[in-house]
Amino acid sequence: MNHLEKINSALQTTHLVNQIDVKAAPILLLRDEEHNSIFDRSIHQTCDELSKIAYDSEMAIGLTDHQGTLLWTWSSRTMLSSAEQVNFIEGGHWSTQAVGKNAIGMALNSHRSSCVHSHENQMNSVRDWVCYAAPIIDPVSNHFHGVINLSTKYKKHTPLGVLAVERCADLVRQSLLTQQKNILYIHALGTPRIVFNQTPLVLTHRQIEILCILVLRPKGISLDELHYALYGDRDVSVKTLKSELSQLRNLLPNCIDSRVYKLTCEVECDFLKAEHSLSAGFLASTFSLYKGSFLSKTESPYLCAWRESFDARLSYLIYQLQDVDQLLKIIGYLPERVDAVQRLLELIPKDSIYHDRFSKFV
């Protein structure tokens, strides 16, 4: 147990969910961009095989997005009624923030396989369930797509449940692997990384900035607008920008339209997903995506404005947290977040020895 874990175990924590009040998962509307995404196509490609696994084992099965909202489910006859009652259906949201401890939420938070037995479920209405969940990690980009879950009644618990759900996760990952043509992955939170057609690209910092601007302007942007968004009032010629764009087009053939500059390929990017999670107030998915500041070295006025807006909203969310556990996790992998330390100090009693220890980081 490391120093942070010792502090974590010694502190009293608060919880976001009252297990007495929550009887079913909330239903959320799915965003349009979820449809026909690479993950959505993989679900449709594997759903028959996944349904058969659930049928043979008399279980309920479901796949969530990276926020914990179910995109697809199938339930055996023995599980169908209870699954519908607790909203284990398309649109049901199963993060720990929404329904307390459950297998989907645990896998969502840790990106590891989990098993939650009947009495461990925080929601009373699934106390007779045993659930097994595994994360779906993209085999090419290492991108976290969501969670797959198998659920059954506690009397039918099997020690092979985790292996079974991991096998299901492998089926989805194999499907993802077959659909990687012309998929552009942009990781801009923390250390920038670009992957296209299953191949990591070595790009200049300026080229990464251009891609991020194009992502944020999906309907397109003129050359003059792009120049100002990238350079602002700096004395950089349009010819320099055209040269960067030409090199990008060579690296990403048929992916950048030049009538108005926009990306024409399928794009998956961490910062937009983090923004969507932040807008929805989903803590776990926001912080699982947030590996560090967005393009910390950028001087682009457009990207700086986006980063400042995102950071301000993230900081506001941090200052609303009541959960010491969550704050400790944030500080654990993002020690530069002074706002998280400050919020933690507000929650820890001033006479606590941990208050003095964390005060040194502010």
Side-chain angles (χ1 to χ4, degrees), residues 301-321:
Y302 188 83
L303 297 177
C304 284
W306 189 92
R307 182 181 61 205
E308 289 167 6
S309 173
F310 180 85
D311 282 348
R313 294 171 61 204
L314 185 63
S315 187
Y316 176 81
L317 182 65
I318 287 172
Y319 279 112
Q320 305 308 306
L321 288 176

Side-chain angles (χ1 to χ4, degrees), residues 54-60 76-80 115-118 127-132 150-162 164:
Y55 174 82
D56 291 341
S57 55
E58 297 186 6
M59 290 185 172
S76 64
R77 186 170 60 181
T78 56
M79 290 293 294
L80 181 59
C115 172
V116 174
H117 295 270
S118 53
R127 285 289 178 89
D128 59 341
W129 287 29
V130 177
C131 305
Y132 317 93
L150 280 170
S151 295
T152 188
K153 297 294 185 176
Y154 74 94
K155 291 181 179 179
K156 295 190 176 182
H157 163 62
T158 168
L160 300 178
V162 172

Side-chain angles (χ1 to χ4, degrees), residues 59-296:
M59 290 185 172
I61 190 169
L63 276 153
T64 80
D65 63 10
H66 69 284
Q67 297 173 339
T69 303
L70 285 163
L71 303 176
W72 170 85
T73 65
W74 186 92
S75 297
S76 64
R77 186 170 60 181
T78 56
M79 290 293 294
L80 181 59
S81 177
S82 57
E84 290 176 344
Q85 289 174 17
V86 299
N87 288 338
F88 189 82
I89 57 176
E90 184 176 318
H93 182 71
W94 286 80
S95 70
T96 54
Q97 184 182 354
V99 298
K101 184 176 181 180
N102 71 96
I104 290 175
M106 300 299 286
L108 192 74
N109 294 348
S110 66
H111 292 189
R112 296 178 181 176
S113 299
S114 68
C115 172
V116 174
H117 295 270
S118 53
H119 64 282
E120 296 174 326
N121 283 297
Q122 191 168 341
M123 195 164 65
N124 283 330
S125 50
V126 289
R127 285 289 178 89
D128 59 341
W129 287 29
V130 177
C131 305
Y132 317 93
I136 307 294
I137 307 294
D138 194 286
V140 173
S141 67
N142 209 34
H143 184 86
F144 173 68
H145 286 285
V147 172
I148 188 164
N149 179 86
L150 280 170
S151 295
T152 188
K153 297 294 185 176
Y154 74 94
K155 291 181 179 179
K156 295 190 176 182
H157 163 62
T158 168
L160 300 178
V162 172
L163 289 176
V165 79
E166 288 177 345
R167 168 58 182 155
C168 293
D170 284 339
L171 292 174
V172 180
R173 281 194 289 267
Q174 289 167 18
S175 177
L176 285 167
L177 191 59
T178 65
Q179 301 189 54
Q180 293 289 338
K181 186 176 181 180
N182 291 335
I183 306 292
L184 177 64
Y185 290 95
I186 301 175
H187 299 264
L189 295 173
T191 303
R193 186 165 60 91
I194 311 296
V195 178
F196 180 67
N197 274 346
Q198 307 183 39
T199 304
L201 299 183
V202 179
L203 302 182
T204 67
H205 183 69
R206 198 71 66 221
Q207 289 166 346
I208 294 173
E209 290 177 323
I210 291 171
L211 288 179
C212 289
I213 292 172
L214 295 180
V215 166
L216 291 169
R217 293 290 296 269
K219 293 183 179 180
I221 186 171
S222 70
L223 182 63
D224 288 341
E225 288 176 318
L226 179 57
H227 185 276
Y228 186 78
L230 188 61
Y231 300 110
D233 294 324
R234 283 176 288 164
D235 186 17
V236 180
S237 69
V238 174
K239 184 178 179 180
T240 299
L241 175 56
K242 286 183 176 179
S243 176
E244 296 280 13
L245 285 165
S246 177
Q247 292 175 38
L248 268 179
R249 281 206 203 89
N250 289 333
L251 292 167
L252 303 170
N254 303 315
C255 290
I256 301 178
D257 196 335
S258 59
R259 288 169 293 181
V260 288
Y261 290 95
K262 65 179 180 180
L263 291 169
T264 57
C265 60
E266 186 172 342
V267 181
E268 297 271 348
C269 62
D270 57 354
F271 61 95
L272 275 190
K273 289 201 169 193
E275 183 185 40
H276 292 150
S277 294
L278 182 60
S279 297
F282 297 145
L283 307 181
S285 57
T286 299
F287 289 114
S288 69
L289 289 161
Y290 189 81
K291 306 298 184 184
S293 183
F294 171 73
L295 296 183
S296 59

